[in-house]
Amino acid sequence: MADFLVGYAQSQPDKMAVIDDRPNGQIRTLTWKQLNEESNRLANVLIDAGLTEAGQKVVWCGPNSAGVVVMTNAARKLGITAVPLNYRLSDDEAAYVTDHCDATVVYVDADYAPMFQRIADRIPKIKQVLVYDGAAPEKMQSCDALMAKASPLEPEIPIDRDPGAMMIYTSGTTGKPKGALRTSRTSPEQGLALAMLLGAIPDDIYLTTGPLYHSGPGGFMYSALAFGQTIVTQHKFDPQDWLRLVDKYKASTTFSAPTPIRMICNLPADVKTKYDVSSMRCMVANAAPWSMTLKKMYLDYFPAISLYEIYGSTELGVNCVLLPEDQLRKPGSCGKPSPLVEVKLFDDQGNEVMGFGPQYPGELYVKSPSVFADYYKQHDKYVADQKHGYQTVGDIAYRDEEGYLYICDRKKDMIISAGMNIYPAEIEGVLENHDEIYEAAVFGIPNEEWGEMVHAVIVRRPGSTLTEADVDAYARAHLANYKVPRSVTWIDELPKTGSGKILKRDLRAPYWAGRASQV
């Protein structure tokens, strides 16, 4: 298979491919010719480190940078499997992922190399740790030094080898993370059709919003590269610095979870007016549902036709798209199936749900070329999530009569109170429409009379004096009685994964401690 990076290095060698611009004034740039050469150098270093066979694993760990972009291309060229590691993980979590994936080489940002020193005795399969963007600690090697001596020519590998795979470990909101293996055997037609639906053009400037170890930011960055666009990497997210990069480079497209955009939109008006955001053509909203309040905040500041919302997952890829013209017309919807994706809803008995409206919910299953290949060493979990040739990640949805889909919630998050099924996402959406509520997380807590009781954890907006009685009155005005939270706790910040998903497991744990059953 022809390598797109080689093609762009030949057809547009001097066009900027990667811009790594940090707040401290440090800027590293790579043209397409330079990106190809640097990727070749790293690929040849990895060959010398023993990664000579298709499918071998390399763990990479670090914040967004040119070095991360180089690694994704080097692994693809070699036909090996790249395993992104969330640098925010605890030592125990990092050791589990590194050992479980069977990697033999680690490629790590110098700032996070000490973590691999601390867990060295728990990752015996690792033969070499390559450190980039800084000095290498004892018993590790400087990848920068090795690359300086390596050949910039294409790595010598079998001509018929498939491009490299990616294996992303799921966020782990329940239990240990699972390695979702995604091979190169997907449909380029599907990727092209989605890009065209989103209006992608080669002259777009893609700005990273959120960490590239997560499937959304990383996947859309990779798609932008494949389209020949320029990538601007923000090392670590900061809302005002993000606006600086949009304004400086005229960024036109990005992918974001709700939390970063909420932080941007909540900046003081005198800060926001310093930056021109009119270049933003395509904001892809995902990772968690965007509330209608947040969408309105976004549309008040950014171009009105720039907001797209997608529904997808690490395992299933992009499944639905809600176009700009439907953002306010279809509140709560994640859109219609994206190109070359089939979506079906099944009830608990395995029957396809054919009705319309919230009274006809079903577990959402997907069939498409972008569905992942397997859970690594956990094939039973992969098979357990299949039905009639379709795959699920456990989300509950319903359709309206126009065919638009609405995600009610994750199946595991469903609350059963007094025999009634309650979906927390609906309640959270209502609460977050309150002017004094910044964020809310809703889940079930044990109750002897009802089995479970609806509980809300709420982050107030600055200066708010909102009380539990105020929340109760507001909820009763917008929700059926059985959905109204029976108790409320207040918190300064909701715990989240690196990809922006709320860690309800952490919030629920104290209420269910010591019980044999968690529902």
Side-chain angles (χ1 to χ4, degrees), residues 78-105:
L78 288 181
I80 62 176
T81 300
V83 183
L85 183 72
N86 179 350
Y87 54 82
R88 296 186 176 96
L89 295 180
S90 68
D91 287 0
D92 288 345
E93 292 168 322
Y96 172 81
V97 171
T98 304
D99 188 64
H100 183 269
C101 77
D102 296 323
T104 57
V105 176

Side-chain angles (χ1 to χ4, degrees), residues 140-156:
M140 299 183 183
Q141 289 190 280
S142 168
C143 193
D144 298 335
L146 294 173
M147 287 177 63
K149 299 176 183 178
S151 169
L153 301 179
E154 296 297 318
E156 294 184 8

Side-chain angles (χ1 to χ4, degrees), residues 58-387:
V58 55
V59 165
W60 65 260
C61 178
N64 299 349
S65 66
V68 169
V69 181
V70 169
M71 166 52 78
T72 61
N73 285 283
R76 189 193 71 254
K77 282 173 175 279
L78 288 181
I80 62 176
T81 300
V83 183
L85 183 72
N86 179 350
Y87 54 82
R88 296 186 176 96
L89 295 180
S90 68
D91 287 0
D92 288 345
E93 292 168 322
Y96 172 81
V97 171
T98 304
D99 188 64
H100 183 269
C101 77
D102 296 323
T104 57
V105 176
V106 168
Y107 173 82
V108 60
D109 185 289
D111 288 344
Y112 296 90
M115 177 173 67
F116 288 92
Q117 286 183 305
R118 296 191 300 269
I119 66 174
D121 61 339
R122 288 182 277 171
I123 50 174
K125 300 166 194 168
I126 296 300
K127 306 303 181 186
Q128 199 164 354
V129 178
L130 303 173
V131 180
Y132 67 96
D133 281 0
E138 186 180 357
K139 296 183 180 180
M140 299 183 183
Q141 289 190 280
S142 168
C143 193
D144 298 335
L146 294 173
M147 287 177 63
K149 299 176 183 178
S151 169
L153 301 179
E154 296 297 318
E156 294 184 8
I157 59 172
I159 194 169
D160 59 348
R161 183 177 294 181
D162 286 336
M166 181 74 72
M167 187 160 71
I168 298 177
Y169 276 74
T170 57
S171 300
T173 51
T174 57
K176 287 189 178 295
K178 301 187 292 293
L181 177 63
R182 184 177 296 282
T183 70
S184 61
R185 296 183 181 90
T186 57
S187 166
E189 291 83 7
Q190 183 182 16
L192 179 60
L194 176 61
M196 299 305 292
L197 182 63
L198 299 178
I201 57 174
D203 288 339
D204 273 329
I205 309 294
Y206 182 89
L207 172 61
T208 63
T209 308
L212 293 173
Y213 60 71
H214 181 54
S215 59
F220 273 83
M221 183 276 291
Y222 184 83
S223 295
L225 276 178
F227 227 68
Q229 298 170 3
T230 298
I231 308 300
V232 180
T233 63
Q234 185 182 31
H235 194 56
K236 292 185 180 179
F237 181 77
D238 174 85
Q240 187 167 348
D241 182 59
W242 187 92
L243 288 176
R244 175 185 71 87
L245 294 173
V246 171
D247 181 64
K248 181 176 180 179
Y249 296 106
K250 306 306 175 190
S252 58
T253 181
T254 189
F255 169 104
S256 182
T259 299
I261 303 304
R262 186 179 287 111
M263 293 171 67
I264 293 163
C265 290
N266 276 307
L267 287 170
D270 61 336
V271 172
K272 292 190 289 187
T273 55
K274 296 177 183 178
Y275 303 98
D276 179 9
V277 297
S278 63
S279 61
M280 187 56 64
R281 182 195 61 74
C282 177
M283 165 66 68
V284 180
N286 186 243
W290 283 35
S291 68
M292 185 56 64
T293 299
L294 178 58
K295 288 184 177 183
K296 290 177 179 178
M297 292 169 64
Y298 173 89
L299 293 172
D300 283 343
Y301 181 42
F302 290 88
I305 61 169
S306 65
L307 185 57
Y308 294 75
E309 185 166 11
I310 66 168
Y311 163 73
S313 62
T314 299
E315 293 91 337
L316 306 183
V318 175
N319 304 141
C320 298
V321 181
L322 187 69
L323 298 173
E325 58 265 30
D326 292 323
Q327 295 296 328
L328 301 182
R329 187 177 77 89
K330 291 288 184 179
S333 174
C334 62
K336 292 183 175 182
S338 55
L340 301 182
V341 174
E342 297 179 50
V343 173
K344 288 190 176 183
L345 306 180
F346 293 103
D347 62 21
D348 291 340
Q349 289 71 47
N351 302 311
E352 186 174 356
V353 177
M354 304 302 293
F356 301 112
Q359 67 272 35
Y360 294 103
E363 189 170 355
L364 187 147
Y365 283 76
V366 168
K367 181 188 290 185
S368 87
S370 63
V371 170
F372 75 128
D374 206 349
Y375 284 125
Y376 187 61
K377 297 194 293 193
Q378 294 175 289
H379 183 65
D380 58 328
K381 296 184 182 297
Y382 174 76
V383 173
D385 289 338
Q386 292 179 343
K387 195 183 290 320

